[in-house]
Amino acid sequence: MTALKKNIWLIFIMLVLSGLALLTILSVSRWNGMMNHYSLSQSGLVKQWFGSFSSILEQQETIISLIGKDIM
């Protein structure tokens, strides 16, 4: 009877440990996937924002240059 109880507990512990290991591996994998996805997304947004901001600054520079030429 004690051998049967020992084997049942051994099976239970092995199931719990293998479940925790699997959960950890899947969680880390999912985390890395999400980080890569959002990193690429944020990188694209920054490039788009920089392009828009650069365009606005070039327009302002052109307007200021034209006004400066008219004043001179």
Side-chain angles (χ1 to χ4, degrees), residues 37-53:
H37 171 73
Y38 287 112
S39 176
L40 289 174
S41 175
Q42 291 296 317
S43 176
L45 287 174
V46 167
K47 287 179 183 177
Q48 182 181 9
W49 180 85
F50 178 76
S52 298
F53 188 69

Side-chain angles (χ1 to χ4, degrees), residues 3-72:
L4 181 63
K5 284 185 180 181
K6 185 187 283 187
N7 286 337
I8 289 175
W9 279 109
L10 182 63
I11 291 171
F12 173 73
I13 290 171
M14 293 300 287
L15 284 174
V16 168
L17 291 177
S18 63
L20 285 174
L22 182 63
L23 179 65
T24 302
I25 291 169
L26 291 175
S27 295
V28 168
S29 174
R30 179 73 174 149
W31 174 262
N32 287 335
M34 286 174 42
M35 290 299 290
N36 288 336
H37 171 73
Y38 287 112
S39 176
L40 289 174
S41 175
Q42 291 296 317
S43 176
L45 287 174
V46 167
K47 287 179 183 177
Q48 182 181 9
W49 180 85
F50 178 76
S52 298
F53 188 69
S54 178
S55 176
I56 290 172
L57 289 178
E58 289 173 4
Q59 289 175 359
Q60 293 297 319
E61 180 183 13
T62 303
I63 291 171
I64 290 173
S65 295
L66 292 174
I67 292 173
K69 287 181 183 176
D70 284 345
I71 290 175
M72 295 192 80

